[in-house]
Amino acid sequence: MRILLLVHAFNSLSQRLFVELRQAGHEISIEFDINDAVTEEAVRLFQPELILAPFLKRAIPESVWRRYCCLVVHPGIPGDRGPSALDWAILNQESHWGVTVLQANEIMDGGDIWASADFPMREATKASLYRHEVTEAAVGAVLQAVSRYASGDYRPIPMIQANTDHRGCERPMMRQRDRRINWDKDDTQTVLRKIRSADGAPGVLDEIAGRECYLYDAHPESTLTGFPGSLIARSEAAICRATTDGAVWIGHLCDRASEHPFKLPATRVLGDSVSFLPEVEGYQPIRYEERGPVGHLHFDFYNGAMSTEQCRGLLAAYRQALKRPTRVIVLQGGVDFWSNGMHLNIIEAADSTADESWANINAIDDLAQAIIETDSHLTVAALHGNAGAGGVFLARAADFVWAREGVILNPHYKDMGNLHGSEFWSYLLPRHAGEEGARSIMQTRLPMGIGEALTAGLVDERITGHFDAYYQRLDVKSQALAASGDFHEQLERKRWRRQVDEKSKSIQEYREEELARMYQNFYGFDPSYHVARYNFVYKVPKSRTPLTLAQHRRAS
Ligand code: COA
């Protein structure tokens, strides 16, 4: 079928549906919901058989839903309505929640139901639930709805009939007052729940050290306590604040009234006002654990963004791991993201954005180079979460890339103001994808599912399952790799290969060539990268759909 994806932004769920629907043989084009006239034009140009709206913030124009079947993905159980579905599900401590695919009509979220799916809730941020549970459930429900529509004889169920759960009702937009933290009364679990219900957006508004800030990236502290509400410690970028029965770590803040009104590490936002706090170990995005001959390096950086400092910390941890008498190192990244490359927010907040970009790319390259040059261990990049831009090529620096089924990769840089990119992609990509494949990946600028990534050579093996099931399989696979009968031959082959590659063109040469182009992106007179980064960090809405996505506009 010809399916038009109508989206507020091409977010993770829309990307995953794009990949799944294409894989199922459908022809997909994408249009950003900019205004009614633009949507009507897109429909006229593409002539879709079906319109799918996985992520919209406005109603679909009546002129469109009256003429076309428009399926809306709502992150709530049948009968649930309103723009804060997941926020309420978290705050109300639902044990199970769901996704509903309904047909757009004059009542927002009130149309007939084509399919639904449910899932158990997890103690996690709203964004994490959205990227995992909601996305998996939505894929199942959308594929079912699309095949029901294609069959031509399925009659969707009116909302009034489908709503058999007493929890299915209309709920208002959640306001700050609904989740404001009362530090005198709230225990750790309540504080975590409130912050998680608003993380990634809009954040819980609070007052810290005399400043109004939105809070994100909250984690429980296991031992520290203090007077409820007081700041009691700091750990790397995070601050620790006491609750009535313990304390929480808060890793990121946004002070909208400041010079940099976007998410930044908490200690950076608060500066001198928290320098008196004792530094302890508590908030640890970088964590190493060992299971027999396998070392696991976790780096759960918020939003997968890797600053200069974080890259240096990770490189130091990686070098430590190499000193251990293990055989395999598994680079695990984080639960939600493996890596999204340079930390664009920290760059945006720097005194010199060019200098910070330069330092950041050099720090990532140092890490990638150390991985490529490792000759004492076999290395695995294991992706439970998505990866984008430099993060994809950083993963490819490892000997093996294993990815969870369902992971989405964005292996391209060009959307960030025509950034040339580094992380040794010009060495790694032709090696794994071939010259032609490398060119095609960099030019296509589309998200890629695991099936395609396997064919393209970006991923070597898929791991099925989610969370515990995934981690168990990863454990078994990495132990098997360490125990493989030809482990030493594999290591020897890898050393030999590196020597051969080095003779034909040194790793230093690749690095210098890529960085020379990046230098132009950062310091040259074309400001495209700086403009694109500013727009990304400040979340400036797109004024048109890129032609890479809007196939119907390309054709016309
Ligand atoms: N630096 C800082 N923040 C980043 C980031 C980065 N490199 N990559 C993603 N984020 C943040 C986003 O701003 C967003 O923040 P929010 O919590 O305030 O909403 C969050 O991570 C999720 O990103 P989002 O873009 O909503 O996720 P997505 O799944 O729709 O798209 C990407 C994923 C990777 C395609 C997209 O985030 C992206 O293009 N990132 C930039 C990649 C890049 O160019 N890196 C620099 C070159 S190496």
Side-chain angles (χ1 to χ4, degrees):
M1 269 198 298
R2 291 163 70 77
I3 305 178
L4 181 70
L5 291 193
L6 183 61
V7 296
H8 171 74
F10 196 37
N11 71 346
S12 56
L13 172 60
S14 317
Q15 293 180 21
R16 176 76 187 282
L17 289 171
F18 169 79
V19 163
E20 297 283 346
L21 289 166
R22 280 217 318 182
Q23 203 170 295
H26 301 294
E27 188 189 341
I28 310 295
S29 195
I30 298 153
E31 183 72 29
F32 288 170
D33 176 37
I34 287 157
N35 61 45
D36 290 358
V38 172
T39 300
E40 285 159 1
E41 183 185 58
V43 169
R44 206 167 50 243
L45 289 172
F46 190 54
Q47 297 285 318
E49 292 165 82
L50 182 65
I51 297 174
L52 181 68
F55 174 49
L56 268 193
K57 294 199 170 175
R58 292 175 344 121
I60 297 173
E62 184 171 351
S63 56
V64 172
W65 64 253
R66 284 240 181 250
R67 291 183 47 223
Y68 292 86
C69 176
C70 300
L71 299 182
V72 177
V73 180
H74 175 70
I77 56 172
D80 178 84
R81 292 174 52 203
S84 305
L86 267 182
D87 312 46
W88 286 114
I90 296 173
L91 218 55
N92 293 342
Q93 302 182 62
E94 302 292 358
S95 62
H96 282 73
W97 198 240
V99 169
T100 306
V101 179
L102 39 84
Q103 186 164 346
N105 65 8
E106 63 273 28
I107 307 166
M108 191 83 163
D109 301 334
D112 295 353
I113 293 178
W114 282 83
S116 64
D118 59 11
F119 54 82
M121 291 285 277
R122 176 171 53 94
E123 286 186 13
T125 63
K126 173 172 66 165
S128 182
L129 286 163
Y130 186 81
R131 285 190 190 108
H132 293 286
E133 284 82 351
V134 169
T135 298
E136 293 302 326
V139 167
V142 164
L143 291 178
Q144 188 175 40
V146 168
S147 76
R148 282 175 172 169
Y149 180 76
S151 76
D153 57 11
Y154 182 83
R155 287 172 65 85
I157 304 169
M159 174 71 83
I160 199 127
Q161 265 175 40
N163 185 4
T164 50
D165 189 321
H166 68 279
R167 301 171 304 162
C169 63
E170 184 172 4
R171 291 185 177 81
M173 157 95 83
M174 191 177 279
R175 306 275 168 204
Q176 283 298 335
R177 63 170 181 270
D178 297 315
R179 50 187 155 202
R180 175 150 295 139
I181 298 171
N182 182 342
W183 292 98
D184 295 332
K185 290 202 178 125
D186 289 346
D187 60 10
T188 299
Q189 283 311 316
T190 308
V191 171
L192 288 174
R193 214 164 33 245
K194 287 181 174 175
I195 297 176
R196 286 171 177 164
S197 76
D199 193 353
V204 164
L205 187 58
D206 193 27
E207 201 188 303
I208 296 194
R211 288 166 72 166
E212 295 253 293
C213 292
Y214 292 84
L215 317 184
Y216 310 90
D217 188 18
H219 307 271
E221 153 60 29
S222 48
T223 51
L224 298 178
T225 55
F227 186 75
S230 61
L231 294 176
I232 52 180
R234 50 186 283 162
S235 174
E236 296 185 13
I239 47 160
C240 188
R241 193 158 191 191
T243 62
T244 55
D245 64 345
V248 292
W249 287 102
I250 297 163
H252 281 76
L253 299 175
C254 167
D255 179 350
R256 294 237 176 105
S258 74
E259 196 189 341
H260 307 300
F262 43 82
K263 289 179 191 175
L264 284 170
T267 49
R268 184 184 172 122
V269 172
L270 298 175
D272 288 346
S273 59
V274 292
S275 55
F276 69 95
L277 290 172
E279 177 86 38
V280 301
E281 275 193 4
Y283 173 86
Q284 282 179 300
I286 301 176
R287 201 162 46 79
Y288 176 75
E289 56 171 342
E290 215 165 271
R291 282 199 282 285
V294 182
H296 293 266
L297 196 51
H298 302 261
F299 41 102
D300 206 348
F301 298 131
Y302 186 70
N303 280 340
M306 296 170 70
S307 68
T308 308
E309 213 178 310
Q310 286 165 324
C311 290
R312 288 179 185 153
L314 186 52
L315 177 58
Y318 182 71
R319 292 213 164 109
Q320 275 305 112
L322 290 181
K323 290 191 188 143
R324 300 287 306 153
T326 47
R327 288 179 155 203
V328 170
I329 295 183
V330 181
L331 299 160
Q332 290 228 17
V335 170
D336 290 340
F337 292 106
W338 195 84
S339 166
N340 280 331
M342 297 192 297
H343 201 311
L344 300 172
N345 289 33
I346 289 195
I347 292 171
E348 193 58 44
D351 290 340
S352 160
T353 54
D355 287 355
E356 186 50 38
S357 302
W358 184 246
N360 203 159
I361 199 65
N362 273 281
I364 292 201
D365 278 3
D366 290 344
L367 177 62
Q369 188 164 347
I371 298 170
I372 293 169
E373 291 181 338
T374 296
D375 63 2
S376 55
H377 289 69
L378 291 182
T379 55
V380 179
L383 280 65
H384 185 271
N386 297 348
V392 179
F393 304 107
L394 183 64
R396 197 54 279 185
D399 301 322
F400 304 99
V401 181
W402 298 343
R404 179 178 59 78
E405 176 92 76
V407 154
I408 295 290
L409 303 180
N410 273 283
H412 45 83
Y413 302 90
K414 296 260 180 268
D415 286 348
M416 198 49 67
N418 259 328
L419 202 58
H420 179 73
S422 190
E423 293 95 2
F424 302 94
W425 71 265
S426 57
Y427 166 55
L428 298 165
L429 211 45
R431 197 180 128 191
H432 291 278
E435 292 289 347
E436 192 42 48
R439 234 189 323 277
S440 147
I441 290 171
M442 291 307 252
Q443 278 166 9
T444 308
R445 295 158 75 162
L446 288 175
M448 196 184 264
I450 293 310
E452 207 183 331
L454 280 162
T455 313
L458 280 173
V459 167
D460 303 306
E461 282 183 55
R462 73 177 94 207
I463 302 184
T464 53
H466 231 124
F467 298 104
D468 288 352
Y470 163 90
Y471 289 112
Q472 272 163 21
R473 285 186 189 125
L474 172 60
D475 203 24
V476 170
K477 275 177 77 65
S478 50
Q479 291 293 334
L481 179 63
S484 49
D486 66 343
F487 176 82
H488 291 291
E489 285 83 351
Q490 286 198 54
L491 203 56
E492 205 38 59
R493 266 204 305 278
K494 159 177 159 165
R495 288 181 189 135
W496 172 80
R497 166 110 213 197
R498 182 82 280 286
Q499 278 170 14
V500 171
D501 285 357
E502 183 69 20
K503 277 204 189 104
S504 97
K505 180 170 174 179
S506 75
I507 201 79
Q508 197 55 33
E509 241 179 296
Y510 284 106
R511 182 171 174 145
E512 281 166 13
E513 278 174 14
E514 287 177 0
L515 287 180
R517 301 286 296 273
M518 288 295 258
Y519 193 88
Q520 286 307 315
N521 289 140
F522 301 156
Y523 295 98
F525 56 78
D526 175 358
S528 300
Y529 154 70
H530 297 288
V531 172
R533 189 198 57 243
Y534 175 93
N535 289 343
F536 179 82
V537 171
Y538 281 84
K539 302 190 191 299
V540 175
K542 293 260 193 312
S543 54
R544 64 180 182 86
T545 314
L547 291 183
T548 42
L549 305 180
Q551 192 206 305
H552 49 286
R553 294 189 182 278
R554 234 172 25 228
S556 78

